[in-house]
Amino acid sequence: MIKLGVPSKGRLMADTFDWFGQRGITLSKAGSDREYVGRVDGIDGVELVLLSAGEIPRELAAGRIHLGVTGTDLIHEKLAGWHQKVAPVAEMGFGHADLIVAVPAFWTDVRTLHDLDAVAARFRGQHGFRLRIATKYHRLTRQFLTAAGVADYQLVDSQGATEGVVKNETAEAIADITSTGATLEANHLRILDDGLVLKSQATVWRSLAAGGDLTAVLDRLG
């Protein structure tokens, strides 16, 4: 039995159900909203497992599900050496978001990562601690900043409402997901000119650790 992991709630689940439906595969919940099992019609030998989008990378890497729907950002963030554990099957055309680095809009002289590095170096001398960048994407942000030569900073964890941390004075900059940029603008933040870390969208991924013959499913999704 091929196990397909799909986000368990919200717009991402609804859009995923629609995407598979357009390919003749009907996904549905098999009971109340509190149950995390589902039904698959239109193709044999496939079982639906409802998980949070954040759990799907782990389950794919462990081989406990064969296929899973989640964002590019979560795969890259949660799985070190992700390309050795999962492979993309199909980009789904929704759930678009960019992981970016943003600074206060009034930092008019900070336009690039080079500028941010210079500010970070001065900041520590002036305040006695490193410039704080709030994010829940620690791996991706650290790799990105290291590659750009930004050195004197610290990452602080933020699992929600990251755009508000600068106003609340718990961080000086952020690395976060944005779709339209409206929330950043509302919180008086500005994306660095070269601050795009990763472009993300919902994608069907295949586990490289799970066995089973996926040919019939992959043919329908291609």
Side-chain angles (χ1 to χ4, degrees):
M1 184 70 71
I2 301 302
K3 292 187 176 182
L4 167 64
V6 166
S8 59
K9 59 185 178 180
R11 180 67 179 271
L12 193 54
M13 183 187 74
D15 286 347
T16 298
F17 280 19
D18 288 345
W19 189 89
F20 276 87
Q22 292 166 13
R23 288 153 180 82
I25 301 173
T26 301
L27 308 181
S28 58
K29 282 195 168 184
S32 73
D33 287 341
R34 294 181 181 273
E35 293 184 47
Y36 293 98
V37 294
R39 175 173 174 173
V40 180
D41 294 299
I43 190 169
D44 294 331
V46 179
E47 175 184 346
L48 180 61
V49 182
L50 297 169
L51 301 161
S52 75
E55 291 175 316
I56 289 173
R58 179 194 65 205
E59 297 302 294
L60 284 166
R64 289 188 286 266
I65 59 176
H66 301 79
L67 297 167
V69 174
T70 192
T72 315
D73 58 316
L74 292 176
I75 290 289
H76 286 222
E77 173 64 22
K78 291 180 176 292
L79 300 182
W82 64 268
H83 57 283
Q84 298 175 338
K85 300 172 182 176
V86 297
V89 172
E91 294 181 334
M92 304 176 80
F94 59 84
H96 291 280
D98 295 340
L99 177 58
I100 53 82
V101 177
V103 298
F106 67 84
W107 286 12
T108 55
D109 58 341
V110 181
R111 312 296 305 189
T112 68
L113 291 164
H114 178 76
D115 298 333
L116 181 64
D117 182 52
V119 166
R122 295 197 302 269
F123 185 92
R124 187 177 186 185
Q126 293 169 351
H127 298 276
F129 59 91
R130 290 185 174 91
L131 183 143
R132 297 165 297 179
I133 301 174
T135 189
K136 66 178 180 180
Y137 296 93
H138 290 247
R139 183 194 310 279
L140 286 172
T141 301
R142 186 175 293 108
Q143 289 175 346
F144 180 73
L145 295 176
T146 298
V150 181
D152 218 351
Y153 67 91
Q154 61 178 314
L155 297 181
V156 294
D157 192 52
S158 176
Q159 293 298 321
T162 302
E163 297 90 347
V165 297
V166 175
K167 182 178 180 180
N168 295 334
E169 299 183 348
T170 55
E172 288 68 50
I174 71 167
D176 199 22
I177 285 288
T178 183
S179 297
T180 66
T183 305
L184 293 173
E185 184 176 352
N187 285 277
H188 309 291
L189 297 170
R190 174 174 43 79
I191 302 171
L192 294 176
D193 293 347
D194 53 356
L196 175 63
V197 181
L198 178 73
K199 297 186 77 68
S200 179
Q201 67 173 295
T203 300
V204 182
W205 301 87
R206 175 171 59 91
S207 170
L208 299 181
D213 184 0
L214 304 182
T215 304
V217 183
L218 298 180
D219 286 346
R220 294 285 290 276
L221 302 184

